[in-house]
Amino acid sequence: MKKLIAQIMKFGVVGVIAFAIDYGLLALLTEAFGVNYLVSATVSFTVSVVFNYVASMRYVFRHKEGMSRRREFVIFVVLSVIGLAINNLCMWAGVELLGVHYLVVKIFATAVVMVWNFVTRKKFLDAGDEPGEILSDIE
C-alpha cells in the first residue's frame, strides 16, 4: 500500500505540472488569441500529454519488460485520446449545457480525466511490483 501511495503522490506532482501547462495554455490561447475554447482545450491537452508521457514513464510508472517503447507510447497515446474525448465532452457539456465558464469547467474535467489516466495507465503500462500484479495494489 505504501508503494501505491508513493506512486499516487508522484502521479500527483506530474499531474499538477501537466495541469499548469494545460490550463495556462488553454487560457492563453482563448483569452489572448481568441481561439475557440474547444480548440484551445484540444491544443493545450495535447501539449500537456507530451510532457505527461515523458514525466510519467520516467518518474511514476515502471516500464513493462518485453514491451517496446513504441508500443508503450502507442498505448499511452490511445489512452490519452480517450482522455481528450472525455475532457472535451466535459468541457462542451459544462459550457454549452450548464452555462459554466470554461476555466471552471476545466478544473472539473481535469479531475475526471486524472482518474481515467491513473487507472488506465496503471493497468496497461505499469509493470507493477511483480509480473501479473499490475492492479493488485488497487483491488
Side-chain angles (χ1 to χ4, degrees), residues 55-90:
S56 289
M57 298 314 296
R58 182 171 182 139
Y59 299 112
V60 180
F61 300 110
R62 289 184 33 210
H63 178 71
K64 280 187 176 183
E65 197 169 315
M67 181 184 288
S68 71
R69 292 288 180 179
R70 179 181 173 148
R71 180 178 172 144
E72 176 185 84
F73 182 72
V74 168
I75 291 170
F76 193 95
V77 167
V78 167
L79 296 175
S80 295
V81 166
I82 295 168
L84 175 61
I86 294 167
N87 177 76
N88 284 2
L89 179 62
C90 290

Side-chain angles (χ1 to χ4, degrees), residues 68-125:
S68 71
R69 292 288 180 179
R70 179 181 173 148
R71 180 178 172 144
E72 176 185 84
F73 182 72
V74 168
I75 291 170
F76 193 95
V77 167
V78 167
L79 296 175
S80 295
V81 166
I82 295 168
L84 175 61
I86 294 167
N87 177 76
N88 284 2
L89 179 62
C90 290
M91 293 291 294
W92 176 82
V95 172
E96 302 299 331
L97 299 180
L98 301 176
V100 179
H101 192 273
Y102 76 95
L103 290 175
V104 174
V105 175
K106 181 61 180 175
I107 294 168
F108 170 77
T110 298
V112 171
V113 174
M114 180 185 70
V115 172
W116 163 261
N117 285 342
F118 184 80
V119 171
T120 58
R121 290 173 189 168
K122 179 88 174 140
K123 181 176 181 176
F124 294 107
L125 296 173

Side-chain angles (χ1 to χ4, degrees), residues 30-75:
T30 303
E31 298 298 323
F33 296 102
V35 178
N36 176 277
Y37 74 93
L38 284 175
V39 174
S40 296
T42 301
V43 171
S44 65
F45 187 94
T46 303
V47 171
S48 74
V49 162
V50 173
F51 164 78
N52 205 313
Y53 172 75
V54 172
S56 289
M57 298 314 296
R58 182 171 182 139
Y59 299 112
V60 180
F61 300 110
R62 289 184 33 210
H63 178 71
K64 280 187 176 183
E65 197 169 315
M67 181 184 288
S68 71
R69 292 288 180 179
R70 179 181 173 148
R71 180 178 172 144
E72 176 185 84
F73 182 72
V74 168
I75 291 170

